[in-house]
């Protein structure tokens, strides 16, 4: 039974930092963070492949960093310079690559966590 469990969300002031984690019961080629605000579509935040190559959404590039500790089977998202528009439910996801590339295409991700709320005010 595959499980992804997020933790570390919470409330922070504008300009602050937060680190969210995702404990993994499985390893996948692509690991990613997505976020969703009620009434809006879920968007890709950051993705990392097994070689450590990462891609970021335009709205978070330069502020967020995705990383993975293979010894602990844990995925991280370090969020700096947070803005109110970063407020969302953050989900980790595990999936597969297409043409050797990990994208934000959500149909490529077959396992999802339950989400952790991040609120920036």
């Amino acid at each position: 039974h595959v499980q992804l469990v997020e933790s570390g969300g919470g409330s922070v002031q504008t300009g602050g930092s937060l680190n969210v984690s995702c404990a993994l019961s499985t390893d996948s080629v692509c690991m990613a963070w997505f976020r969703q605000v009620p009434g809006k579509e879920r968007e890709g935040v950051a993705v990392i492949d097994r070689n450590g190559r990462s891609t970021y959404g335009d709205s978070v590039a330069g502020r967020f960093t995705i990383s993975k500790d293979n010894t602990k089977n844990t995925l991280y998202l370090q969020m700096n310079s947070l803005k109110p528009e970063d407020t969302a439910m953050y989900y980790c996801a595990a999936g597969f690559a297409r043409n050797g590339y990990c994208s934000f295409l959500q149909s490529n991700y077959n396992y999802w966590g339950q989400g952790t709320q991040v609120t920036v005010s």
Side-chain angles (χ1 to χ4, degrees):
H1 178 63
V2 176
Q3 279 191 311
L4 284 70
V5 181
E6 300 96 336
S7 62
S11 297
V12 64
Q13 291 187 336
T14 299
S17 297
L18 206 60
N19 189 299
V20 292
S21 304
C22 176
L24 317 166
S25 67
T26 185
D27 188 22
S28 289
V29 174
C30 304
M31 300 297 305
W33 288 97
F34 291 82
R35 67 186 182 186
Q36 188 170 25
V37 176
K40 293 189 177 181
E41 292 187 358
R42 188 160 48 191
E43 66 168 334
V45 174
V47 59
I48 190 168
D49 68 13
R50 277 195 174 139
N51 295 318
R53 292 176 299 187
S54 56
T55 303
Y56 296 91
D58 291 341
S59 62
V60 306
R63 300 187 298 121
F64 290 12
T65 303
I66 189 172
S67 62
K68 186 181 173 189
D69 187 334
N70 292 322
T71 63
K72 297 181 179 179
N73 276 351
T74 303
L75 181 72
Y76 301 98
L77 183 68
Q78 175 66 42
M79 302 180 286
N80 298 326
S81 302
L82 283 161
K83 305 174 182 179
E85 50 264 43
D86 294 317
T87 295
M89 186 72 78
Y90 283 72
Y91 299 90
C92 64
F96 53 90
R98 288 190 186 272
N99 300 316
Y101 174 69
C102 293
S103 73
F104 287 130
L105 185 62
Q106 295 182 40
S107 59
N108 290 353
Y109 293 87
N110 39 7
Y111 300 110
W112 294 81
Q114 83 289 348
T116 185
Q117 178 68 37
V118 172
T119 302
V120 185
S121 59

